[in-house]
PDB file of all heavy atoms in Angstrom:
ATOM      1  N   ALA B 143     129.942 145.299 -46.459  1.00  0.00           N
ATOM      2  CA  ALA B 143     129.570 145.211 -45.044  1.00  0.00           C
ATOM      3  C   ALA B 143     130.359 146.226 -44.227  1.00  0.00           C
ATOM      4  O   ALA B 143     129.805 146.909 -43.344  1.00  0.00           O
ATOM      5  CB  ALA B 143     129.815 143.795 -44.520  1.00  0.00           C
ATOM      6  N   ARG B 144     131.656 146.339 -44.485  1.00  0.00           N
ATOM      7  CA  ARG B 144     132.464 147.298 -43.724  1.00  0.00           C
ATOM      8  C   ARG B 144     132.021 148.734 -44.024  1.00  0.00           C
ATOM      9  O   ARG B 144     131.904 149.567 -43.120  1.00  0.00           O
ATOM     10  CB  ARG B 144     133.940 147.114 -44.061  1.00  0.00           C
ATOM     11  CG  ARG B 144     134.621 146.031 -43.216  1.00  0.00           C
ATOM     12  CD  ARG B 144     136.131 146.146 -43.296  1.00  0.00           C
ATOM     13  NE  ARG B 144     136.620 145.854 -44.640  1.00  0.00           N
ATOM     14  CZ  ARG B 144     136.880 144.628 -45.087  1.00  0.00           C
ATOM     15  NH1 ARG B 144     136.696 143.583 -44.286  1.00  0.00           N
ATOM     16  NH2 ARG B 144     137.313 144.438 -46.311  1.00  0.00           N
ATOM     17  N   ILE B 145     131.778 149.019 -45.283  1.00  0.00           N
ATOM     18  CA  ILE B 145     131.373 150.389 -45.653  1.00  0.00           C
ATOM     19  C   ILE B 145     130.041 150.747 -45.007  1.00  0.00           C
ATOM     20  O   ILE B 145     129.837 151.859 -44.516  1.00  0.00           O
ATOM     21  CB  ILE B 145     131.285 150.522 -47.194  1.00  0.00           C
ATOM     22  CG1 ILE B 145     132.692 150.466 -47.799  1.00  0.00           C
ATOM     23  CG2 ILE B 145     130.577 151.804 -47.600  1.00  0.00           C
ATOM     24  CD1 ILE B 145     132.703 150.413 -49.317  1.00  0.00           C
ATOM     25  N   GLN B 146     129.144 149.787 -44.976  1.00  0.00           N
ATOM     26  CA  GLN B 146     127.811 150.081 -44.419  1.00  0.00           C
ATOM     27  C   GLN B 146     127.750 149.882 -42.910  1.00  0.00           C
ATOM     28  O   GLN B 146     126.688 150.068 -42.309  1.00  0.00           O
ATOM     29  CB  GLN B 146     126.761 149.183 -45.089  1.00  0.00           C
ATOM     30  CG  GLN B 146     126.556 149.544 -46.562  1.00  0.00           C
ATOM     31  CD  GLN B 146     125.214 149.090 -47.078  1.00  0.00           C
ATOM     32  OE1 GLN B 146     124.879 147.916 -46.991  1.00  0.00           O
ATOM     33  NE2 GLN B 146     124.449 150.029 -47.614  1.00  0.00           N
ATOM     34  N   GLY B 147     128.861 149.496 -42.316  1.00  0.00           N
ATOM     35  CA  GLY B 147     128.892 149.365 -40.863  1.00  0.00           C
ATOM     36  C   GLY B 147     128.207 148.120 -40.359  1.00  0.00           C
ATOM     37  O   GLY B 147     127.725 148.110 -39.225  1.00  0.00           O
ATOM     38  N   ASP B 148     128.143 147.082 -41.188  1.00  0.00           N
ATOM     39  CA  ASP B 148     127.526 145.826 -40.741  1.00  0.00           C
ATOM     40  C   ASP B 148     128.596 144.889 -40.186  1.00  0.00           C
ATOM     41  O   ASP B 148     129.749 144.909 -40.624  1.00  0.00           O
ATOM     42  CB  ASP B 148     126.821 145.140 -41.910  1.00  0.00           C
ATOM     43  CG  ASP B 148     125.531 145.844 -42.261  1.00  0.00           C
ATOM     44  OD1 ASP B 148     124.725 146.067 -41.337  1.00  0.00           O
ATOM     45  OD2 ASP B 148     125.351 146.203 -43.433  1.00  0.00           O
ATOM     46  N   ARG B 149     128.211 144.077 -39.239  1.00  0.00           N
ATOM     47  CA  ARG B 149     129.164 143.171 -38.625  1.00  0.00           C
ATOM     48  C   ARG B 149     129.327 141.886 -39.432  1.00  0.00           C
ATOM     49  O   ARG B 149     130.330 141.215 -39.341  1.00  0.00           O
ATOM     50  CB  ARG B 149     128.724 142.814 -37.207  1.00  0.00           C
ATOM     51  CG  ARG B 149     128.856 143.981 -36.267  1.00  0.00           C
ATOM     52  CD  ARG B 149     128.491 143.599 -34.883  1.00  0.00           C
ATOM     53  NE  ARG B 149     128.631 144.732 -33.975  1.00  0.00           N
ATOM     54  CZ  ARG B 149     128.310 144.701 -32.704  1.00  0.00           C
ATOM     55  NH1 ARG B 149     127.825 143.604 -32.176  1.00  0.00           N
ATOM     56  NH2 ARG B 149     128.470 145.761 -31.941  1.00  0.00           N
ATOM     57  N   SER B 150     128.311 141.538 -40.186  1.00  0.00           N
ATOM     58  CA  SER B 150     128.397 140.259 -40.891  1.00  0.00           C
ATOM     59  C   SER B 150     128.083 140.444 -42.369  1.00  0.00           C
ATOM     60  O   SER B 150     127.310 141.344 -42.752  1.00  0.00           O
ATOM     61  CB  SER B 150     127.408 139.259 -40.278  1.00  0.00           C
ATOM     62  OG  SER B 150     126.091 139.666 -40.553  1.00  0.00           O
ATOM     63  N   ALA B 151     128.674 139.582 -43.145  1.00  0.00           N
ATOM     64  CA  ALA B 151     128.426 139.622 -44.578  1.00  0.00           C
ATOM     65  C   ALA B 151     127.015 139.132 -44.890  1.00  0.00           C
ATOM     66  O   ALA B 151     126.420 139.528 -45.902  1.00  0.00           O
ATOM     67  CB  ALA B 151     129.452 138.765 -45.300  1.00  0.00           C
ATOM     68  N   SER B 152     126.495 138.272 -44.018  1.00  0.00           N
ATOM     69  CA  SER B 152     125.163 137.724 -44.302  1.00  0.00           C
ATOM     70  C   SER B 152     124.100 138.814 -44.294  1.00  0.00           C
ATOM     71  O   SER B 152     123.118 138.743 -45.036  1.00  0.00           O
ATOM     72  CB  SER B 152     124.817 136.633 -43.289  1.00  0.00           C
ATOM     73  OG  SER B 152     124.806 137.182 -41.999  1.00  0.00           O
ATOM     74  N   ALA B 153     124.316 139.834 -43.464  1.00  0.00           N
ATOM     75  CA  ALA B 153     123.347 140.939 -43.451  1.00  0.00           C
ATOM     76  C   ALA B 153     123.344 141.639 -44.798  1.00  0.00           C
ATOM     77  O   ALA B 153     122.279 142.011 -45.326  1.00  0.00           O
ATOM     78  CB  ALA B 153     123.700 141.926 -42.339  1.00  0.00           C
ATOM     79  N   VAL B 154     124.523 141.798 -45.375  1.00  0.00           N
ATOM     80  CA  VAL B 154     124.599 142.452 -46.682  1.00  0.00           C
ATOM     81  C   VAL B 154     123.969 141.566 -47.746  1.00  0.00           C
ATOM     82  O   VAL B 154     123.254 142.048 -48.643  1.00  0.00           O
ATOM     83  CB  VAL B 154     126.070 142.762 -47.029  1.00  0.00           C
ATOM     84  CG1 VAL B 154     126.183 143.328 -48.442  1.00  0.00           C
ATOM     85  CG2 VAL B 154     126.640 143.746 -46.033  1.00  0.00           C
ATOM     86  N   LYS B 155     124.210 140.254 -47.647  1.00  0.00           N
ATOM     87  CA  LYS B 155     123.605 139.339 -48.631  1.00  0.00           C
ATOM     88  C   LYS B 155     122.088 139.434 -48.574  1.00  0.00           C
ATOM     89  O   LYS B 155     121.411 139.483 -49.612  1.00  0.00           O
ATOM     90  CB  LYS B 155     124.048 137.908 -48.350  1.00  0.00           C
ATOM     91  CG  LYS B 155     125.505 137.653 -48.713  1.00  0.00           C
ATOM     92  CD  LYS B 155     125.875 136.231 -48.365  1.00  0.00           C
ATOM     93  CE  LYS B 155     127.358 135.988 -48.606  1.00  0.00           C
ATOM     94  NZ  LYS B 155     127.795 134.668 -48.139  1.00  0.00           N
ATOM     95  N   SER B 156     121.563 139.440 -47.365  1.00  0.00           N
ATOM     96  CA  SER B 156     120.104 139.550 -47.222  1.00  0.00           C
ATOM     97  C   SER B 156     119.618 140.875 -47.787  1.00  0.00           C
ATOM     98  O   SER B 156     118.585 140.942 -48.465  1.00  0.00           O
ATOM     99  CB  SER B 156     119.708 139.461 -45.749  1.00  0.00           C
ATOM    100  OG  SER B 156     120.153 138.263 -45.204  1.00  0.00           O
ATOM    101  N   ARG B 157     120.371 141.916 -47.506  1.00  0.00           N
ATOM    102  CA  ARG B 157     119.949 143.235 -47.993  1.00  0.00           C
ATOM    103  C   ARG B 157     119.978 143.273 -49.512  1.00  0.00           C
ATOM    104  O   ARG B 157     119.064 143.830 -50.143  1.00  0.00           O
ATOM    105  CB  ARG B 157     120.880 144.305 -47.411  1.00  0.00           C
ATOM    106  CG  ARG B 157     120.420 145.724 -47.673  1.00  0.00           C
ATOM    107  CD  ARG B 157     121.266 146.723 -46.921  1.00  0.00           C
ATOM    108  NE  ARG B 157     121.237 146.470 -45.507  1.00  0.00           N
ATOM    109  CZ  ARG B 157     122.318 146.388 -44.731  1.00  0.00           C
ATOM    110  NH1 ARG B 157     123.518 146.544 -45.267  1.00  0.00           N
ATOM    111  NH2 ARG B 157     122.211 146.152 -43.462  1.00  0.00           N
ATOM    112  N   LEU B 158     120.992 142.702 -50.078  1.00  0.00           N
ATOM    113  CA  LEU B 158     121.077 142.678 -51.545  1.00  0.00           C
ATOM    114  C   LEU B 158     119.920 141.886 -52.138  1.00  0.00           C
ATOM    115  O   LEU B 158     119.318 142.283 -53.142  1.00  0.00           O
ATOM    116  CB  LEU B 158     122.414 142.067 -51.983  1.00  0.00           C
ATOM    117  CG  LEU B 158     123.638 142.983 -51.845  1.00  0.00           C
ATOM    118  CD1 LEU B 158     124.915 142.207 -52.135  1.00  0.00           C
ATOM    119  CD2 LEU B 158     123.521 144.174 -52.794  1.00  0.00           C
ATOM    120  N   SER B 159     119.604 140.772 -51.494  1.00  0.00           N
ATOM    121  CA  SER B 159     118.502 139.947 -51.992  1.00  0.00           C
ATOM    122  C   SER B 159     117.182 140.719 -51.943  1.00  0.00           C
ATOM    123  O   SER B 159     116.401 140.716 -52.900  1.00  0.00           O
ATOM    124  CB  SER B 159     118.426 138.667 -51.151  1.00  0.00           C
ATOM    125  OG  SER B 159     117.290 137.927 -51.518  1.00  0.00           O
ATOM    126  N   ARG B 160     116.967 141.396 -50.801  1.00  0.00           N
ATOM    127  CA  ARG B 160     115.741 142.194 -50.675  1.00  0.00           C
ATOM    128  C   ARG B 160     115.716 143.314 -51.708  1.00  0.00           C
ATOM    129  O   ARG B 160     114.682 143.598 -52.313  1.00  0.00           O
ATOM    130  CB  ARG B 160     115.655 142.789 -49.263  1.00  0.00           C
ATOM    131  CG  ARG B 160     115.148 141.852 -48.207  1.00  0.00           C
ATOM    132  CD  ARG B 160     114.698 142.644 -46.976  1.00  0.00           C
ATOM    133  NE  ARG B 160     115.749 143.523 -46.473  1.00  0.00           N
ATOM    134  CZ  ARG B 160     116.700 143.156 -45.630  1.00  0.00           C
ATOM    135  NH1 ARG B 160     116.746 141.920 -45.186  1.00  0.00           N
ATOM    136  NH2 ARG B 160     117.604 144.022 -45.212  1.00  0.00           N
ATOM    137  N   ALA B 161     116.876 143.942 -51.885  1.00  0.00           N
ATOM    138  CA  ALA B 161     116.932 145.063 -52.829  1.00  0.00           C
ATOM    139  C   ALA B 161     116.594 144.586 -54.238  1.00  0.00           C
ATOM    140  O   ALA B 161     115.863 145.266 -54.975  1.00  0.00           O
ATOM    141  CB  ALA B 161     118.312 145.706 -52.788  1.00  0.00           C
TER     142      ALA B 161
END
Side-chain angles (χ1 to χ4, degrees):
Chain B
R144 274 196 294 275
I145 290 173
Q146 292 203 304
D148 286 309
R149 290 183 180 176
S150 68
S152 61
V154 175
K155 288 178 185 173
S156 302
R157 189 172 302 130
L158 284 173
S159 174
R160 279 198 306 274

